[in-house]
């Protein structure tokens, strides 16, 4: 005989209640966790359903499910068959991202778990029309979230353009809340102790110390970063490249960090004058940026040792850089001799199929460079002859440049006329749209090439048309450069040479040097050579009377 009470007794339905609220929604009416839970408990009670468990993600965005522990736990319980139904206050509590929402609902359906939204009860996920309505609602929820994010980003970008700080701690400043309108605003106030540390880092780098050397010294002296960690090369580099220290606001350097990570670099970030007080003066800033840019273009070096000219020489065969290389020989008496060379990096990394070694003895080339600089300083006539030759070459090159610029301008006008011609043919239906676009793209390529060459020619003309290079000024720069070079430690010597030397030209035989190309411009003279890197032996370093320098010039000595 069948027990009718057991037969007619309804099977208990285990319901999972899920609630979520993000930080920005805390203050909005009806979004609170207690309010959601209270409504959903009442719903389950009215329908005589058993609440298996309440899963709560408090203060977590609905952008993604990856960092929401409660939803992850709920899905694990679904897979184990512990839940028959999931109920939420509103569908966007599950996710505001359409792909995540559909993925979750698909998993629930796969395990025969019903989904119910208190606010959208009309969506039955078991029917095709119900799924369609739900997907449309999910798309709207994602659109709303994206609109909110877009508006927030727009507001923060405008704050940055207005010179306001958008939050985050930075060494040298304290973030202070001050009254502003109806609420408060975050502003940067200088922290005197930290600001002095920032100045110390800039001075160390301008004096020739590298990133690793600075980090090691700061750690040995007991300094810490803003979060209280030890200094790393990345931390030092971040400080040296942060324009906040000259009173600027930089924002939106990286976009969509969560998805793109380091690939999301914005080539045109917002940089505006900030409301805060600078820590670093503009001269020091530009000196450091110029020096950093110079160093960043040289090849990475595994071993530096006593190599002064790393990255300053090119392989006469392939044009690649010559890098440091050591050879150890053991003599018969057991003595180990280390010979230093500069060799082609392509040969070193890829073998003889890529290039030949084209090695140069380091002792030979370094001695040559230092002795040649001393020679032109000690024999003024040598330097005078070099400068006079440069001035003559500059005058000779003016006329050809002027002719080239005139020719380029004529060609650009011809291209403009051709473009207008094709537009007229298109308007008269003589040619179709595809042919027009093809011809315009072709003309654009030619136009861009000619425009680029015209700009370069104008730059060269501007340089060569400026006042003749002053022999007296060049002699003063070279003399002080040589004096500082002789009295400076190794790291500073290396920095000085890499700042002023553009390239050491090696002949194809690899045993002779064609010349040393020095490059001087207003930036080197004004922003670096007047700063006096750390040395007690040369008072004032490059502190000579300021004169109006030429635009740019090179000396081959």
């Amino acid at each position: 005989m069948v027990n009718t009470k057991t037969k007619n007794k309804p099977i208990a339905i285990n319901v999972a209640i899920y609630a979520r609220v993000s930080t920005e929604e805390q203050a909005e009416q009806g979004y609170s966790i207690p309010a959601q839970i209270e409504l959903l408990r009442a719903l389950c009670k009215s329908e005589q359903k058993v609440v298996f468990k309440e899963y709560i993600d408090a203060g977590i965005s609905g952008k993604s499910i990856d960092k929401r522990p409660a939803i992850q736990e709920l899905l694990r319980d679904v897979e184990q068959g512990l839940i028959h139904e999931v109920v939420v206050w509103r569908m966007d509590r599950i996710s505001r991202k359409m792909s995540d929402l559909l993925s979750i609902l698909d998993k629930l359906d796969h395990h025969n778990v019903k989904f119910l939204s208190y606010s959208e009860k009309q969506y039955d996920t078991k029917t095709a029309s119900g799924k369609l309505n739900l997907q449309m609602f999910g798309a709207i929820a994602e659109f709303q979230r994206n609109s909110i994010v877009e508006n927030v980003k727009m507001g923060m970008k405008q704050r940055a353009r207005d010179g306001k700080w958008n939050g985050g701690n930075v060494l040298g400043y304290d973030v202070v809340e001050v009254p502003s309108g109806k609420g408060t605003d975050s502003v940067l106030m200088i922290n005197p102790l930290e600001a002095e540390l920032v100045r110390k880092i800039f001075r160390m780098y301008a004096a020739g110390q590298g990133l690793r050397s600075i980090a090691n010294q700061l750690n040995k002296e007991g300094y810490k970063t803003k979060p209280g960690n030890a200094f790393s090369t990345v931390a030092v580099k971040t400080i040296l490249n942060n324009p906040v220290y000259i009173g600027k606001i930089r924002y939106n350097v990286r976009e969509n960090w969560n998805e793109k990570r380091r690939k999301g670099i914005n080539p045109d970030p917002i940089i505006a004058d900030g409301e805060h007080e600078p820590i670093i003066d503009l001269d020091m800033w530009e000196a450091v940026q110029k020096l950093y840019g110079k160093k960043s273009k040289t090849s990475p070096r595994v071993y530096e040792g006593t190599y002064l000219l790393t990255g300053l020489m090119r392989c006469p065969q392939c044009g690649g850089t010559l890098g440091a290389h050591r050879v150890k020989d053991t003599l018969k008496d057991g003595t180990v001799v280390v010979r230093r060379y500069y060799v082609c990096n392509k040969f070193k990394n890829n073998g003889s199929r890529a290039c030949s070694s084209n090695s140069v003895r380091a002792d030979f080339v370094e001695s040559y460079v230092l002795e040649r600089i001393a020679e032109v300083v000690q024999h003024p006539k040598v330097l005078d002859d070099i400068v006079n030759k440069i001035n003559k070459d500059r005058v000779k090159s003016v006329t050809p440049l002027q002719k080239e610029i005139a020719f380029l301008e004529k060609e650009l006008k011809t291209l403009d006329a051709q473009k207008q011609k094709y537009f007229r043919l298109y308007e008269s239906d003589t040619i179709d749209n595809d042919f027009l676009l093809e011809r315009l793209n072709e003309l654009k390529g030619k136009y861009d090439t000619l425009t680029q060459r015209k700009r370069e020619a104008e730059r060269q003309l501007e340089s060569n048309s400026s006042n003749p290079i002053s022999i007296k000024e060049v002699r003063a720069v070279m003399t002080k450069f040589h004096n500082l070079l002789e009295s400076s430690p190794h790291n500073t010597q290396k920095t000085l040479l890499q700042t002023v030397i553009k390239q050491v030209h090696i002949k194809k035989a690899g045993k002779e040097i064609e010349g040393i190309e020095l490059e001087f411009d207003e930036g080197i003279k004004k922003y670096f050579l007047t700063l006096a890197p750390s040395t007690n032996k040369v008072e004032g370093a490059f502190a000579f009377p300021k004169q109006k320098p030429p635009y740019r010039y090179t000396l081959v000595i």
Side-chain angles (χ1 to χ4, degrees), residues 199 202 206 240 242-248 271 273 277-291 522-523 526-528 530-531 546:
R199 296 187 188 100
F202 272 80
L240 294 174
N242 195 343
V244 71
Y245 296 118
I246 54 170
K248 300 286 186 181
I271 298 180
D273 292 332
E277 184 179 351
I279 292 176
I280 300 299
D281 63 72
L282 194 58
D283 285 354
M284 172 64 83
W285 168 263
E286 297 198 13
V288 166
Q289 299 315 303
K290 185 172 186 66
L291 185 56
E522 185 173 359
K526 181 179 179 182
Y527 302 128
F528 181 71
T530 58
L531 281 178
K546 292 185 177 180

Side-chain angles (χ1 to χ4, degrees), residues 422-423 426 431-441:
Y422 285 114
F423 276 124
Y426 176 73
I431 59 175
D432 59 19
N433 184 63
D434 291 340
F435 184 82
L436 173 65
L437 292 177
E438 180 182 348
R439 295 300 296 146
L440 289 181
N441 287 332

Side-chain angles (χ1 to χ4, degrees), residues 153-421:
K153 286 182 177 180
M154 188 181 303
M156 296 184 77
K157 287 179 181 179
Q158 189 56 50
R159 278 180 54 83
R161 294 188 186 97
D162 293 339
K164 297 183 181 297
W165 185 246
N166 273 320
N169 293 322
V170 58
L171 186 71
Y173 294 96
D174 292 326
V175 180
V176 180
E177 296 293 328
V178 298
S180 176
K182 296 181 180 179
T184 60
D185 199 4
S186 299
V187 298
L188 292 177
M189 301 292 291
I190 288 182
N191 181 312
L193 291 177
E194 293 181 359
E196 188 53 41
L197 175 57
V198 171
R199 296 187 188 100
K200 176 185 177 75
I201 292 171
F202 272 80
R203 288 195 298 267
M204 291 166 72
Y205 193 81
Q209 285 188 251
L211 300 178
R212 183 175 289 105
S213 173
I214 293 173
N216 289 339
Q217 181 176 333
L218 294 177
N219 292 330
K220 286 179 181 178
E221 295 175 357
Y223 291 106
K224 298 292 183 182
T225 63
K226 190 73 173 181
N229 301 322
F231 275 92
S232 64
T233 55
V234 173
V236 175
K237 181 176 72 173
T238 300
I239 291 171
L240 294 174
N241 292 332
N242 195 343
V244 71
Y245 296 118
I246 54 170
K248 300 286 186 181
I249 292 293
R250 181 178 62 186
Y251 185 71
N252 205 35
V253 176
R254 289 185 174 88
E255 296 180 308
N256 300 323
W257 173 261
N258 287 337
E259 289 87 9
K260 297 182 179 180
R261 312 303 289 177
R262 297 188 182 279
K263 293 182 180 180
I265 295 177
N266 181 9
D268 189 25
I270 296 171
I271 298 180
D273 292 332
E275 297 178 343
H276 61 285
E277 184 179 351
I279 292 176
I280 300 299
D281 63 72
L282 194 58
D283 285 354
M284 172 64 83
W285 168 263
E286 297 198 13
V288 166
Q289 299 315 303
K290 185 172 186 66
L291 185 56
Y292 183 83
K294 185 92 173 181
K295 284 186 174 183
S296 65
K297 293 178 182 178
T298 60
S299 300
R301 320 181 258 287
V302 177
Y303 173 82
E304 293 188 359
T306 56
Y307 292 85
L308 295 176
L309 304 175
T310 312
L312 297 179
M313 290 178 287
R314 295 280 175 182
C315 173
Q317 183 175 339
C318 70
T321 55
L322 299 185
H325 181 65
R326 294 179 300 164
V327 175
K328 288 185 178 181
D329 290 330
T330 303
L331 304 181
K332 291 183 179 180
D333 60 0
T335 304
V336 177
V337 178
V338 178
R339 294 186 175 87
R340 300 182 306 115
Y341 293 88
Y342 292 97
V343 302
C344 174
N345 280 324
K346 283 189 177 180
F347 168 81
K348 186 177 178 181
N349 297 328
N350 303 319
S352 57
R353 290 188 177 183
C355 193
S356 301
S357 66
N358 292 305
S359 61
V360 182
R361 286 288 299 267
D363 294 338
F364 161 69
V365 68
E366 289 170 2
S367 297
Y368 179 91
V369 169
L370 296 176
E371 290 171 4
R372 182 58 176 165
I373 291 174
E375 181 183 4
V376 298
V377 169
Q378 295 166 4
H379 298 83
K381 188 177 184 306
V382 175
L383 190 58
D384 292 351
D385 291 342
I386 292 171
V387 175
N388 285 329
K389 183 179 183 304
I390 291 174
N391 285 329
K392 289 179 181 178
D393 291 342
R394 282 154 58 95
V395 172
K396 288 180 181 178
S397 63
V398 167
T399 302
L401 286 171
Q402 290 174 334
K403 290 182 178 179
E404 183 179 8
I405 291 172
F407 170 77
L408 292 170
E409 288 176 344
K410 182 179 178 181
E411 288 296 304
L412 289 171
K413 288 181 180 178
T414 301
L415 291 177
D416 282 330
Q418 290 178 1
K419 184 165 63 174
Q420 295 302 320
K421 172 187 172 183

